[in-house]
Amino acid sequence: DRAYMNGTINTGTPEQVATLLAENPGLSVIEMEMVPGSVDDEACLAAGRLVREHGLSTHLAADGEIASGGVDFFLAGVERTIEDGGMVGVHSWSQLGGPDGEELPRDDSEHQPYLDYFLEMSISEDFYWFTLEAASANDIHWMSLEELVAYDVITP
């Protein structure tokens, strides 16, 4: 009932998740171990939507670490749990050759795919804006337990 996730989310991740779901109908939890981010935000959000559509939970192990797109994927869990010691890192997204997310005005259309995704995952858009402001695209902010609770990153 549990699958383990490691590595960077990429273009092939939605297909991998779909195959995992098809081959494991009893799957209920994706345990994230080391997921440092994504190289394809569209694929990351698509994979997350599959997780949510199938009612899976996400879990971060005590020695686990998720960051950037890994956090977006984690948010897809209908229940989201983190063991003491699990690390969650956030920062602004970046575009190759374009401005980073925190550099764009809040009403810029580039934000909309992320805002839509957060809404679908029942996560406040306040958390989205927090991720952009917490650290630049070249940096990382490791969230405290208080922040994780305040932004409903973990479910009670």
Side-chain angles (χ1 to χ4, degrees):
D1 72 337
R2 190 169 288 258
Y4 296 86
M5 182 176 184
N6 284 286
T8 301
I9 298 166
N10 59 52
T11 304
T13 302
E15 183 177 335
Q16 291 173 320
V17 171
T19 300
L20 179 69
L21 291 164
E23 293 177 355
N24 300 278
L27 184 65
S28 62
V29 178
I30 295 184
E31 184 161 334
M32 301 176 75
E33 295 178 324
M34 291 292 177
V35 184
S38 72
V39 293
D40 183 333
D41 286 349
E42 288 180 29
C44 180
L45 302 184
R49 286 182 172 105
L50 286 172
V51 168
R52 180 55 67 99
E53 287 171 18
H54 286 83
L56 302 182
S57 295
T58 51
H59 178 76
L60 180 60
D63 59 350
E65 189 175 293
I66 58 175
S68 192
V71 177
D72 294 338
F73 184 92
F74 179 81
L75 295 175
V78 292
E79 291 185 7
R80 300 173 302 277
T81 54
I82 299 173
E83 292 178 17
D84 287 342
M87 304 275 298
V88 177
V90 296
H91 65 154
S92 180
W93 50 265
S94 64
Q95 302 180 68
L96 188 60
D100 294 344
E102 85 274 3
E103 298 171 329
L104 298 171
R106 284 191 174 205
D107 62 353
D108 192 286
S109 63
E110 291 291 324
H111 295 295
Q112 203 57 53
Y114 304 100
L115 292 169
D116 290 345
Y117 179 80
F118 278 49
L119 179 65
E120 290 172 46
M121 301 305 140
S122 300
I123 300 294
S124 168
E125 73 176 45
D126 291 344
F127 180 62
Y128 172 71
W129 301 119
F130 168 79
T131 66
L132 296 185
E133 296 165 0
S136 70
N138 296 324
D139 201 0
I140 194 87
H141 170 76
W142 296 105
M143 294 182 70
S144 68
L145 177 60
E146 293 78 19
E147 289 169 331
L148 292 168
V149 170
Y151 288 107
D152 294 324
V153 173
I154 50 179
T155 52

